[in-house]
Amino acid sequence: MRYNQLGESDLKVSEICLGTMTYGRQNSIAEAHQQLEYAIANGVNFIDAAEMYPVPPQEATYGLTETYIGEWLKDQQRDKVIVATKIAGPGRGFKWLRGGADAIERDNIKQAVDDSLKRLQTDYIDLYQIHWPDRYVPRFGQTIFDPTQVKPSVPIVEQLEAFADIIQAGKIRYLGLSNETPWGVVQFSNAAKQLGLPKVISIQNAYNLLNRVFDGALAETVYYENVGLLAYSPLAFGFLTGKYLNGKPENTRITLFENFGQRYLKPKVTSAVAAYVELAKRHQLSPAQLALAFVRSRWFVTSTIIGATTLEQLKENIDSANVVLSKEILAELDEINIQHPNPAP
């Protein structure tokens, strides 16, 4: 396991991060703790959560993921584990979330941080992320910006000022973004530089062989702003393992939760997946190892967020850290991408 500097921070995070969004729906607390123990024992020092987890989000399970982690975290050496979580933003219609008060503004930020600290049973959060922007942006598989959808939102400077106070109080150490755009990253970065406010150190966006949108403007942005990518969905909801090529297996997210993961149900996904699976087999790799090793190979990826519902899946995903793709394989992957460009952006 390698460890990488996360942006302009003193955090050295493992190149593989344990994602936890199944804890509380698909995974019991016992299974969650088993995963956490295995990951830490195998070099992972970075855990990612969110206040709205598990997913799909619902009132009955809100906060359970953090609660499960907290029951484990209270018995750990706290400075050996880097814990990340997120505040939910507006636009999802979660009326049960703080009574529908979901703007990224001072009171909501303070309440969300305090609630996460309580559930996590810790005094501080290492990386606190805005789960999606307060303003309107296309997200979660949407690709077209529609000016008619723009509504008033909390100014970025006001968001940063509120986070500055929380950081000063010692409740969070660093700030990150998620599901952000190049424009958003630059606005946060410029405001921080000009006004002496906390600079964002990371961005958590989807990135995988089926969705390489980050290769363009976002890659340029994080290069100049020194922001690390925490890549989520590196296996594209499991599609890149090839398990959906012959139907929908039981007890998977796509089968269990209707209308979930819609970006991976687009018409050109299957042919692209088939090409990547065939390439993996030719090189004696599992499709999961190929997909994860590709994400890790990208210069802008600081850590790859993996998630699993079984310990066997988790073991394979963590073992992918030992796979280094040759220049020849990377070239073949690029060729497939030319033939099947971004089928699930």
Side-chain angles (χ1 to χ4, degrees):
M1 188 70 67
R2 291 194 298 269
Y3 301 87
N4 301 318
Q5 204 82 28
L6 184 54
E8 296 178 16
S9 76
D10 64 357
L11 298 178
K12 294 274 285 186
V13 299
S14 50
E15 61 183 332
I16 288 180
C17 171
L18 180 63
T20 61
M21 71 178 187
T22 58
Y23 297 178
R25 289 202 74 171
Q26 290 176 270
N27 286 113
S28 67
I29 189 168
E31 291 167 337
H33 290 182
Q34 186 182 38
Q35 286 193 17
L36 288 160
E37 291 290 345
Y38 183 86
I40 295 297
N42 284 273
V44 173
N45 72 347
F46 191 20
I47 299 165
D48 180 69
E51 68 165 335
M52 76 166 201
Y53 289 171
V55 294
Q58 58 181 1
E59 184 174 7
T61 58
Y62 166 68
L64 268 186
T65 297
E66 289 183 330
T67 300
Y68 284 12
I69 294 171
E71 285 297 313
W72 172 83
L73 189 62
K74 68 181 182 181
D75 297 321
Q76 308 305 308
Q77 188 174 337
R78 180 63 183 86
D79 62 355
K80 299 297 184 183
V81 183
I82 296 171
V83 178
T85 194
K86 313 177 194 75
I87 180 173
R92 298 294 299 278
F94 299 150
K95 298 301 182 184
W96 38 264
L97 179 63
R98 286 182 289 282
D102 52 10
I104 309 297
E105 54 84 30
R106 184 174 297 274
D107 289 343
N108 283 336
I109 292 170
K110 183 179 184 303
Q111 186 65 56
V113 170
D114 287 345
D115 290 346
S116 285
L117 288 171
K118 184 176 180 180
R119 288 188 293 265
L120 290 166
Q121 300 193 50
T122 185
D123 296 327
Y124 66 93
I125 295 162
D126 297 282
L127 175 65
Y128 197 68
Q129 302 154 101
I130 301 172
H131 206 154
W132 56 86
D134 184 90
R135 69 189 191 282
Y136 157 75
V137 294
R139 58 177 181 259
F140 303 124
Q142 298 173 339
T143 58
I144 298 173
F145 181 83
D146 179 2
T148 67
Q149 299 297 312
V150 174
K151 298 178 176 63
S153 60
V154 180
I156 285 172
V157 169
E158 290 184 20
Q159 295 179 51
L160 285 176
E161 288 173 342
F163 283 115
D165 290 343
I166 302 291
I167 291 172
Q168 183 65 32
K171 294 181 179 181
I172 63 176
R173 296 178 64 194
Y174 296 103
L175 181 64
L177 304 172
S178 183
N179 299 298
E180 235 333 335
T181 68
W183 185 88
V185 175
V186 170
Q187 293 301 308
F188 271 94
S189 188
N190 285 346
K193 294 172 188 174
Q194 293 166 8
L195 300 173
L197 294 169
K199 184 180 182 300
V200 296
I201 64 167
S202 63
I203 178 172
Q204 184 176 148
N205 278 32
Y207 186 76
N208 55 59
L209 286 168
L210 302 178
N211 178 5
R212 295 178 56 172
V213 172
F214 204 97
D215 286 345
L218 273 164
E220 178 189 22
T221 302
V222 299
Y223 174 79
Y224 285 110
E225 300 301 335
N226 194 14
V227 171
L229 173 61
L230 309 177
Y232 77 77
S233 288
L235 293 178
F237 267 47
F239 277 81
L240 284 167
T241 67
K243 65 184 178 182
Y244 293 108
L245 286 177
N246 298 307
K248 295 181 180 179
E250 293 181 358
N251 296 320
T252 62
R253 269 174 274 172
I254 298 299
T255 349
L256 290 172
F257 308 120
E258 188 178 358
N259 298 322
F260 198 45
Q262 290 294 302
R263 69 168 63 172
Y264 301 115
L265 301 178
K266 295 177 180 178
K268 296 185 179 180
V269 165
T270 300
S271 58
V273 169
Y276 290 122
V277 169
E278 192 276 331
L279 174 61
K281 290 178 179 177
R282 278 197 286 111
H283 290 280
Q284 289 78 52
L285 294 169
S286 76
Q289 287 176 324
L290 177 73
L292 292 170
F294 165 75
V295 174
R296 282 180 32 254
S297 75
R298 310 301 283 167
W299 62 264
F300 45 75
V301 173
T302 302
S303 190
T304 301
I305 303 173
I306 62 168
T309 52
T310 69
L311 195 58
E312 290 71 25
Q313 291 172 339
L314 182 64
K315 289 177 180 178
E316 180 181 14
N317 292 348
I318 291 178
D319 285 347
S320 72
N322 299 314
V323 177
V324 178
L325 301 180
S326 67
K327 290 181 180 179
E328 291 73 22
I329 294 177
L330 290 171
E332 289 183 71
L333 290 172
D334 284 340
E335 183 59 34
I336 293 174
N337 182 57
I338 291 171
Q339 298 169 7
H340 305 273
N342 288 327

